Amino acid sequence: MSKIKLTGNSNLLKKTTSSINQRELSLAMAEATNCGSGLNPLKGYISLPNFNSSSGDIDGFFGLYIVDGEIVIDTLSDVKAQVEAFCTNSLVSATGASISGCVVSSLVEGNTRQLTASVTPSNALQTGTWTTSNASIATVNASGLVTGVGAGTATITFTSTDGGFTATCSVVVIAD
């Protein structure tokens, strides 16, 4: 459907194509404002009728909710699903990342070592990406398995999806 973005002053509305009229928007904004942070603690969204401009009949309903200062308007079923997902999300924001399995010893060419990343706190999203500073010395796959390729030193980095926190491990690869 559409999104309406509020810009600091409630009189300045940027609006994309939408079937919501100014009166309905004013009523919705008044209700949302009274809910604290734009979420009704009972429902979390506002349901509004979608009137057919030709017949005046109600063609259906759409939902409206506010997230990050932006009013989101979508089908009622999608709005309900998004609000439900938000309300049941038990994850918290990440505050850091670390790597275990990073021992101070050499890795022989052709051998592997498993590194494990952890994002803190433990109930934060535990995903991220692995990268290497030099793939001609050591590679790392998506699950943190490091393979020695050629002699030298490479830095393996894990970057958390939430917050972009990084942790590094220096890997020394020796010739076979």
PDB file of all heavy atoms in Angstrom, residues 115-137:
ATOM      1  N   LEU A 115      36.083 -21.544  14.311  1.00  0.00           N
ATOM      2  CA  LEU A 115      35.890 -20.387  15.177  1.00  0.00           C
ATOM      3  C   LEU A 115      34.397 -20.249  15.441  1.00  0.00           C
ATOM      4  O   LEU A 115      33.577 -20.573  14.583  1.00  0.00           O
ATOM      5  CB  LEU A 115      36.421 -19.114  14.522  1.00  0.00           C
ATOM      6  CG  LEU A 115      37.911 -19.087  14.171  1.00  0.00           C
ATOM      7  CD1 LEU A 115      38.270 -17.762  13.503  1.00  0.00           C
ATOM      8  CD2 LEU A 115      38.756 -19.323  15.402  1.00  0.00           C
ATOM      9  N   THR A 116      34.051 -19.763  16.604  1.00  0.00           N
ATOM     10  CA  THR A 116      32.649 -19.572  16.964  1.00  0.00           C
ATOM     11  C   THR A 116      32.458 -18.142  17.430  1.00  0.00           C
ATOM     12  O   THR A 116      33.193 -17.662  18.301  1.00  0.00           O
ATOM     13  CB  THR A 116      32.232 -20.541  18.089  1.00  0.00           C
ATOM     14  OG1 THR A 116      32.515 -21.876  17.661  1.00  0.00           O
ATOM     15  CG2 THR A 116      30.756 -20.411  18.407  1.00  0.00           C
ATOM     16  N   ALA A 117      31.469 -17.485  16.852  1.00  0.00           N
ATOM     17  CA  ALA A 117      31.178 -16.097  17.223  1.00  0.00           C
ATOM     18  C   ALA A 117      30.028 -16.067  18.215  1.00  0.00           C
ATOM     19  O   ALA A 117      29.116 -16.894  18.168  1.00  0.00           O
ATOM     20  CB  ALA A 117      30.810 -15.292  15.991  1.00  0.00           C
ATOM     21  N   SER A 118      30.089 -15.124  19.119  1.00  0.00           N
ATOM     22  CA  SER A 118      29.000 -14.877  20.062  1.00  0.00           C
ATOM     23  C   SER A 118      28.716 -13.386  20.062  1.00  0.00           C
ATOM     24  O   SER A 118      29.626 -12.567  20.056  1.00  0.00           O
ATOM     25  CB  SER A 118      29.389 -15.299  21.478  1.00  0.00           C
ATOM     26  OG  SER A 118      29.601 -16.683  21.530  1.00  0.00           O
ATOM     27  N   VAL A 119      27.427 -13.071  20.074  1.00  0.00           N
ATOM     28  CA  VAL A 119      26.996 -11.681  20.156  1.00  0.00           C
ATOM     29  C   VAL A 119      26.447 -11.478  21.557  1.00  0.00           C
ATOM     30  O   VAL A 119      25.734 -12.329  22.083  1.00  0.00           O
ATOM     31  CB  VAL A 119      25.937 -11.370  19.087  1.00  0.00           C
ATOM     32  CG1 VAL A 119      25.448  -9.940  19.194  1.00  0.00           C
ATOM     33  CG2 VAL A 119      26.494 -11.645  17.690  1.00  0.00           C
ATOM     34  N   THR A 120      26.823 -10.374  22.180  1.00  0.00           N
ATOM     35  CA  THR A 120      26.321 -10.079  23.525  1.00  0.00           C
ATOM     36  C   THR A 120      25.274  -8.981  23.446  1.00  0.00           C
ATOM     37  O   THR A 120      25.378  -8.103  22.588  1.00  0.00           O
ATOM     38  CB  THR A 120      27.463  -9.632  24.456  1.00  0.00           C
ATOM     39  OG1 THR A 120      28.172  -8.567  23.837  1.00  0.00           O
ATOM     40  CG2 THR A 120      28.409 -10.774  24.751  1.00  0.00           C
ATOM     41  N   PRO A 121      24.273  -9.063  24.331  1.00  0.00           N
ATOM     42  CA  PRO A 121      23.998 -10.124  25.287  1.00  0.00           C
ATOM     43  C   PRO A 121      23.518 -11.393  24.574  1.00  0.00           C
ATOM     44  O   PRO A 121      23.260 -11.375  23.375  1.00  0.00           O
ATOM     45  CB  PRO A 121      22.897  -9.533  26.173  1.00  0.00           C
ATOM     46  CG  PRO A 121      22.213  -8.536  25.318  1.00  0.00           C
ATOM     47  CD  PRO A 121      23.260  -7.994  24.380  1.00  0.00           C
ATOM     48  N   SER A 122      23.388 -12.466  25.323  1.00  0.00           N
ATOM     49  CA  SER A 122      23.073 -13.766  24.727  1.00  0.00           C
ATOM     50  C   SER A 122      21.695 -13.818  24.077  1.00  0.00           C
ATOM     51  O   SER A 122      21.460 -14.664  23.221  1.00  0.00           O
ATOM     52  CB  SER A 122      23.199 -14.878  25.771  1.00  0.00           C
ATOM     53  OG  SER A 122      22.280 -14.647  26.820  1.00  0.00           O
ATOM     54  N   ASN A 123      20.784 -12.912  24.448  1.00  0.00           N
ATOM     55  CA  ASN A 123      19.460 -12.934  23.811  1.00  0.00           C
ATOM     56  C   ASN A 123      19.359 -11.912  22.671  1.00  0.00           C
ATOM     57  O   ASN A 123      18.275 -11.571  22.227  1.00  0.00           O
ATOM     58  CB  ASN A 123      18.340 -12.735  24.832  1.00  0.00           C
ATOM     59  CG  ASN A 123      18.461 -11.452  25.621  1.00  0.00           C
ATOM     60  OD1 ASN A 123      19.539 -10.873  25.711  1.00  0.00           O
ATOM     61  ND2 ASN A 123      17.375 -11.022  26.215  1.00  0.00           N
ATOM     62  N   ALA A 124      20.526 -11.456  22.159  1.00  0.00           N
ATOM     63  CA  ALA A 124      20.564 -10.634  20.942  1.00  0.00           C
ATOM     64  C   ALA A 124      20.633 -11.567  19.737  1.00  0.00           C
ATOM     65  O   ALA A 124      20.944 -12.759  19.876  1.00  0.00           O
ATOM     66  CB  ALA A 124      21.776  -9.712  20.966  1.00  0.00           C
ATOM     67  N   LEU A 125      20.354 -11.048  18.571  1.00  0.00           N
ATOM     68  CA  LEU A 125      20.433 -11.819  17.338  1.00  0.00           C
ATOM     69  C   LEU A 125      21.853 -12.340  17.166  1.00  0.00           C
ATOM     70  O   LEU A 125      22.808 -11.564  17.167  1.00  0.00           O
ATOM     71  CB  LEU A 125      20.038 -10.929  16.153  1.00  0.00           C
ATOM     72  CG  LEU A 125      19.948 -11.575  14.790  1.00  0.00           C
ATOM     73  CD1 LEU A 125      18.850 -12.644  14.779  1.00  0.00           C
ATOM     74  CD2 LEU A 125      19.656 -10.515  13.743  1.00  0.00           C
ATOM     75  N   GLN A 126      22.010 -13.654  17.025  1.00  0.00           N
ATOM     76  CA  GLN A 126      23.333 -14.293  16.997  1.00  0.00           C
ATOM     77  C   GLN A 126      23.816 -14.580  15.576  1.00  0.00           C
ATOM     78  O   GLN A 126      24.360 -15.633  15.305  1.00  0.00           O
ATOM     79  CB  GLN A 126      23.301 -15.594  17.807  1.00  0.00           C
ATOM     80  CG  GLN A 126      23.020 -15.411  19.274  1.00  0.00           C
ATOM     81  CD  GLN A 126      24.164 -14.738  20.006  1.00  0.00           C
ATOM     82  OE1 GLN A 126      25.328 -15.064  19.832  1.00  0.00           O
ATOM     83  NE2 GLN A 126      23.813 -13.753  20.828  1.00  0.00           N
ATOM     84  N   THR A 127      23.616 -13.643  14.669  1.00  0.00           N
ATOM     85  CA  THR A 127      24.055 -13.848  13.286  1.00  0.00           C
ATOM     86  C   THR A 127      25.030 -12.757  12.882  1.00  0.00           C
ATOM     87  O   THR A 127      25.110 -11.699  13.512  1.00  0.00           O
ATOM     88  CB  THR A 127      22.867 -13.839  12.304  1.00  0.00           C
ATOM     89  OG1 THR A 127      22.231 -12.560  12.377  1.00  0.00           O
ATOM     90  CG2 THR A 127      21.876 -14.941  12.620  1.00  0.00           C
ATOM     91  N   GLY A 128      25.756 -13.033  11.804  1.00  0.00           N
ATOM     92  CA  GLY A 128      26.712 -12.067  11.287  1.00  0.00           C
ATOM     93  C   GLY A 128      27.449 -12.647  10.100  1.00  0.00           C
ATOM     94  O   GLY A 128      27.103 -13.716   9.596  1.00  0.00           O
ATOM     95  N   THR A 129      28.491 -11.953   9.673  1.00  0.00           N
ATOM     96  CA  THR A 129      29.277 -12.401   8.527  1.00  0.00           C
ATOM     97  C   THR A 129      30.739 -12.563   8.929  1.00  0.00           C
ATOM     98  O   THR A 129      31.241 -11.855   9.798  1.00  0.00           O
ATOM     99  CB  THR A 129      29.195 -11.390   7.365  1.00  0.00           C
ATOM    100  OG1 THR A 129      29.597 -10.105   7.841  1.00  0.00           O
ATOM    101  CG2 THR A 129      27.782 -11.302   6.813  1.00  0.00           C
ATOM    102  N   TRP A 130      31.377 -13.524   8.276  1.00  0.00           N
ATOM    103  CA  TRP A 130      32.795 -13.798   8.481  1.00  0.00           C
ATOM    104  C   TRP A 130      33.564 -13.305   7.268  1.00  0.00           C
ATOM    105  O   TRP A 130      33.135 -13.509   6.138  1.00  0.00           O
ATOM    106  CB  TRP A 130      33.031 -15.297   8.633  1.00  0.00           C
ATOM    107  CG  TRP A 130      32.498 -15.897   9.898  1.00  0.00           C
ATOM    108  CD1 TRP A 130      31.278 -16.480  10.066  1.00  0.00           C
ATOM    109  CD2 TRP A 130      33.163 -15.977  11.150  1.00  0.00           C
ATOM    110  NE1 TRP A 130      31.144 -16.920  11.359  1.00  0.00           N
ATOM    111  CE2 TRP A 130      32.294 -16.618  12.052  1.00  0.00           C
ATOM    112  CE3 TRP A 130      34.411 -15.553  11.615  1.00  0.00           C
ATOM    113  CZ2 TRP A 130      32.630 -16.869  13.375  1.00  0.00           C
ATOM    114  CZ3 TRP A 130      34.756 -15.800  12.927  1.00  0.00           C
ATOM    115  CH2 TRP A 130      33.868 -16.450  13.799  1.00  0.00           C
ATOM    116  N   THR A 131      34.714 -12.672   7.501  1.00  0.00           N
ATOM    117  CA  THR A 131      35.574 -12.233   6.399  1.00  0.00           C
ATOM    118  C   THR A 131      37.032 -12.494   6.770  1.00  0.00           C
ATOM    119  O   THR A 131      37.365 -12.680   7.938  1.00  0.00           O
ATOM    120  CB  THR A 131      35.393 -10.722   6.099  1.00  0.00           C
ATOM    121  OG1 THR A 131      35.644  -9.975   7.289  1.00  0.00           O
ATOM    122  CG2 THR A 131      33.992 -10.420   5.572  1.00  0.00           C
ATOM    123  N   THR A 132      37.869 -12.504   5.748  1.00  0.00           N
ATOM    124  CA  THR A 132      39.305 -12.668   5.954  1.00  0.00           C
ATOM    125  C   THR A 132      40.029 -11.469   5.358  1.00  0.00           C
ATOM    126  O   THR A 132      39.574 -10.896   4.370  1.00  0.00           O
ATOM    127  CB  THR A 132      39.825 -13.970   5.306  1.00  0.00           C
ATOM    128  OG1 THR A 132      41.234 -14.085   5.545  1.00  0.00           O
ATOM    129  CG2 THR A 132      39.559 -14.034   3.815  1.00  0.00           C
ATOM    130  N   SER A 133      41.146 -11.120   5.944  1.00  0.00           N
ATOM    131  CA  SER A 133      41.935  -9.999   5.421  1.00  0.00           C
ATOM    132  C   SER A 133      42.771 -10.416   4.219  1.00  0.00           C
ATOM    133  O   SER A 133      43.193  -9.579   3.431  1.00  0.00           O
ATOM    134  CB  SER A 133      42.855  -9.435   6.503  1.00  0.00           C
ATOM    135  OG  SER A 133      43.803 -10.413   6.891  1.00  0.00           O
ATOM    136  N   ASN A 134      43.008 -11.747   4.064  1.00  0.00           N
ATOM    137  CA  ASN A 134      43.844 -12.213   2.967  1.00  0.00           C
ATOM    138  C   ASN A 134      43.490 -13.663   2.637  1.00  0.00           C
ATOM    139  O   ASN A 134      43.964 -14.593   3.299  1.00  0.00           O
ATOM    140  CB  ASN A 134      45.328 -12.092   3.337  1.00  0.00           C
ATOM    141  CG  ASN A 134      46.230 -12.293   2.149  1.00  0.00           C
ATOM    142  OD1 ASN A 134      45.866 -12.959   1.186  1.00  0.00           O
ATOM    143  ND2 ASN A 134      47.422 -11.715   2.214  1.00  0.00           N
ATOM    144  N   ALA A 135      42.681 -13.849   1.584  1.00  0.00           N
ATOM    145  CA  ALA A 135      42.221 -15.183   1.207  1.00  0.00           C
ATOM    146  C   ALA A 135      43.336 -16.067   0.644  1.00  0.00           C
ATOM    147  O   ALA A 135      43.172 -17.280   0.554  1.00  0.00           O
ATOM    148  CB  ALA A 135      41.080 -15.079   0.191  1.00  0.00           C
ATOM    149  N   SER A 136      44.481 -15.496   0.310  1.00  0.00           N
ATOM    150  CA  SER A 136      45.595 -16.327  -0.174  1.00  0.00           C
ATOM    151  C   SER A 136      46.354 -16.951   1.007  1.00  0.00           C
ATOM    152  O   SER A 136      47.181 -17.837   0.819  1.00  0.00           O
ATOM    153  CB  SER A 136      46.540 -15.521  -1.068  1.00  0.00           C
ATOM    154  OG  SER A 136      47.147 -14.484  -0.323  1.00  0.00           O
ATOM    155  N   ILE A 137      46.041 -16.498   2.224  1.00  0.00           N
ATOM    156  CA  ILE A 137      46.657 -17.070   3.428  1.00  0.00           C
ATOM    157  C   ILE A 137      45.654 -17.933   4.184  1.00  0.00           C
ATOM    158  O   ILE A 137      45.957 -19.068   4.566  1.00  0.00           O
ATOM    159  CB  ILE A 137      47.213 -15.955   4.340  1.00  0.00           C
ATOM    160  CG1 ILE A 137      48.365 -15.248   3.613  1.00  0.00           C
ATOM    161  CG2 ILE A 137      47.662 -16.512   5.683  1.00  0.00           C
ATOM    162  CD1 ILE A 137      48.894 -14.031   4.326  1.00  0.00           C
TER     163      ILE A 137
END
